[in-house]
Amino acid sequence: MLAKRIIPCLDIKDGRTVKGVNFVNLRDAGDPVELGAAYSEKGADELVFLDITATHEKRKTMSELARSIARHLNIPFTIGGGITSIDDADAMLAAGADKVSINSAAVRRPGLIDELALNFGNQFVVLAVDARQIDGEWIVHLNGGRIATEIRLFDWVKEAESRGAGEILFTSMDHDGTKAGFALEATAHISELLSIPVIASGGAGNMEHFYDVFTAGKADAGLAASIFHFNEIAIPDLKGYLKEKNVVVR
Amino acid sequence: MTLVVGKRVAMIAVIDYNAGNVQSVLFALERLGAPAILTGDHAQIRAAEKVIFPGVGEASTTMHFLRERGLDEVIKSLTQPTLGICVGMQLLCAHSEENDTPCLGVIPQRVKKFVPVNGEKVPHMGWNSLSRCADEIFTPELSGEYVYYVHSYYVEEGPYTSALSEYTLPFSAGLHKDNFYATQFHVEKSGKVGEMILRNFLSL
């Protein structure tokens, strides 16, 4: 049986993980590779690295990071943050990244999805989308949720799929940081609308939230950051809990 | 580069044919202490003690590329242990439904596209479990373990199936005929289980 995936997300700035990380037994919790390896050891199914560095040298530092992760980790990972062209994506693939995630750049220029899918295959392209509800309608937001667009979430993910996205990473800005659970209805709607996998993000606060997003939310994977980083939920415990509730996990 | 396995000196060639993420395969071998050379050179491939034929990409384009470089004949004539990974496994078969592509025909099986029967998503992406593990690289204790897949096409269960997984139907997680071994999943990205399977191949 295909297992539901648990994905920790690491934010990287200047080659170091940001957001405090409260891991014991880690020599250097700020080292993305060491932290990634620790998650892999604990049973994480995949990792997402988001590089939030803003420099002219970004492509070079990101590809060095991807190379270092690929060299040391034996599970798949996605890298994102500022990928806006085929050349950016090609550098990540050459470095050993399994997938790239694109977000605002794809909204600004949807053809980027087609270009990446055509050159590297659909499986390489994760379309990340941040959205929140405005007057009862889910609306796509840019730049980490700060800028509203006029694009409806469900239209956008459908278009992204038809252009060649291989996976959707949906973050509800309404739920992100609340620890009150994922956006179940919107996630389920995307999952039913599309025939590609959906990663749910935003709102995880306890283990039950993951159960909910895999059942009522119909998500293929659940992503979270701080609850894993601060060890509020240990991945082995989460997997044990889900197994007991008959959710298939690795 | 060479690696001492037991008392022999082994050399592993990873076939370079411009298809996707070969770097991950090289890194996985490096982690196992088995550095390899990435090469499209016929003589180097023929001389290697083991050959790895990785693959990410589309079947017809990839077959075209192999034929242009004469690598199709090289692969077919290999007699040392050879491991096809993902699309590499599919290309070892006789024919792929992906753009109706005649493949290498080393293993007489056909490659088909997944058809969802109950709303399943295609590609089949993520960790799935192995069953009926039945050869030297799929040792019996690997049944029940999870490996990482990303694919839309599959090989049906058949006489050369060396392990099974299930997605819409039971399909070949692995194939084995003579000196040719293959994994449909990404053995290089399948955690400790993948490392064990790779190690089993390296110690053939």
Side-chain angles (χ1 to χ4, degrees):
Chain A
M1 285 275 281
L2 182 62
K4 301 289 189 184
R5 289 171 280 156
I6 303 292
I7 308 179
C9 177
L10 289 77
D11 286 350
I12 312 292
K13 194 175 182 196
D14 301 319
R16 308 275 300 166
T17 53
V18 292
K19 290 185 183 172
V21 173
N22 183 23
F23 260 17
V24 283
N25 302 328
L26 260 197
R27 193 170 43 83
D28 178 5
D31 175 1
V33 176
E34 188 163 355
L35 186 57
Y39 277 128
S40 170
E41 197 63 33
K42 283 167 188 275
D45 296 305
E46 240 177 277
L47 294 166
V48 170
F49 295 86
L50 282 183
D51 196 322
I52 56 172
T53 318
T55 65
H56 297 300
E57 290 287 283
K58 181 153 184 176
R59 188 190 293 164
K60 187 161 165 280
T61 57
M62 258 178 95
S63 96
E64 278 165 9
L65 174 68
R67 193 172 170 81
S68 177
I69 297 164
R71 171 166 263 145
H72 293 99
L73 254 61
N74 58 14
I75 59 169
F77 72 96
T78 300
I79 191 160
I83 287 164
T84 60
S85 69
I86 287 194
D87 287 348
D88 290 336
D90 197 26
M92 298 307 130
L93 178 69
D98 298 284
K99 311 174 192 179
V100 292
S101 78
I102 50 173
N103 190 330
S104 302
V107 177
R108 295 198 174 99
R109 192 170 69 82
L112 178 63
I113 303 171
D114 306 64
E115 289 169 16
L116 297 185
L118 199 65
N119 280 275
F120 309 112
N122 301 26
Q123 85 293 333
F124 190 62
V125 187
V126 179
L127 189 279
V129 55
D130 302 324
R132 68 170 82 236
Q133 275 185 300
I134 298 176
D135 300 330
E137 187 96 64
W138 282 93
I139 299 295
V140 175
H141 283 61
L142 299 180
N143 293 29
R146 289 190 294 274
I147 304 172
T149 67
E150 293 182 344
I151 303 165
R152 286 185 298 193
L153 169 67
F154 303 124
D155 295 343
W156 174 232
V157 294
K158 190 80 194 159
E159 179 180 344
E161 177 185 43
S162 70
R163 286 178 179 273
E167 214 166 5
I168 301 291
L169 165 52
F170 162 52
T171 302
S172 163
M173 307 308 298
D174 291 334
H175 296 73
D176 201 28
T178 64
K179 296 194 181 178
F182 292 93
L184 300 180
E185 276 183 37
T187 304
H189 189 66
I190 296 172
S191 193
E192 283 169 348
L193 198 61
L194 308 185
S195 63
I196 54 176
V198 177
I199 306 167
S201 154
N206 60 41
M207 298 201 277
E208 200 177 345
H209 294 154
F210 284 90
Y211 174 78
D212 292 341
V213 84
F214 291 142
T215 51
K218 302 186 191 314
D220 299 281
L223 177 142
S226 59
I227 53 155
F228 294 137
H229 300 333
F230 292 107
N231 217 11
E232 290 166 32
I233 296 179
I235 292 172
D237 296 344
L238 175 57
K239 293 254 179 123
Y241 167 84
L242 291 168
K243 256 180 216 166
E244 253 173 49
K245 304 261 274 178
N246 293 320
V247 175
V248 179
V249 288
R250 178 170 72 111
Chain B
M1 276 180 277
T2 55
L3 156 77
V4 178
V5 178
K7 288 182 178 167
R8 299 174 296 131
V9 174
M11 193 196 75
I12 302 154
V14 176
I15 298 178
D16 183 12
Y17 66 107
N18 197 28
N21 199 358
V22 288
Q23 191 57 60
S24 298
V25 174
L26 295 171
F27 281 148
L29 292 166
E30 183 187 292
R31 284 194 294 273
L32 293 177
I37 51 165
L38 180 65
T39 179
D41 181 82
H42 295 190
Q44 266 184 330
I45 294 169
R46 285 207 177 92
E49 286 210 10
K50 300 216 164 60
V51 176
I52 294 182
F53 179 32
V56 175
E58 188 276 323
S60 68
T61 318
T62 309
M63 276 308 299
H64 182 74
F65 191 98
L66 291 174
R67 278 198 203 95
E68 259 187 1
R69 282 156 186 77
L71 286 168
D72 55 334
E73 293 304 323
V74 174
I75 295 168
K76 283 196 267 190
S77 67
L78 293 174
T79 53
Q80 61 273 61
T82 297
L83 178 68
I85 302 173
C86 197
V87 174
M89 159 165 151
Q90 297 178 358
L91 296 182
L92 288 175
C93 293
H95 178 272
S96 173
E97 270 184 14
E98 188 172 19
N99 291 316
D100 192 17
T101 304
C103 299
L104 296 168
V106 169
I107 301 174
Q109 293 206 226
R110 297 176 77 81
V111 182
K112 301 182 169 180
K113 183 157 192 180
F114 279 123
V115 179
V117 291
N118 199 12
E120 293 94 345
K121 297 176 175 182
V122 177
H124 170 224
M125 182 187 284
W127 297 82
N128 203 331
S129 52
L130 297 171
S131 64
R132 304 239 319 259
C133 293
D135 77 345
E136 302 100 309
I137 75 166
F138 288 100
T139 45
E141 72 272 15
L142 289 169
S143 288
E145 298 286 353
Y146 282 82
V147 290
Y148 184 76
Y149 285 97
V150 183
H151 63 132
S152 300
Y153 294 81
Y154 69 94
V155 179
E156 276 185 328
E157 185 183 4
Y160 302 104
T161 299
S162 50
L164 279 179
S165 283
E166 198 165 330
Y167 193 66
T168 73
L169 78 177
F171 69 90
S172 296
L175 294 175
H176 176 199
K177 181 175 185 282
D178 308 323
N179 59 309
F180 289 93
Y181 298 78
T183 70
Q184 176 60 70
F185 52 90
H186 284 278
V187 65
E188 75 281 11
K189 286 285 170 179
S190 290
K192 289 188 176 134
V193 174
E195 283 176 359
M196 190 179 290
I197 294 165
L198 257 184
R199 205 173 269 132
N200 289 343
F201 172 74
L202 294 175
S203 52
L204 282 172

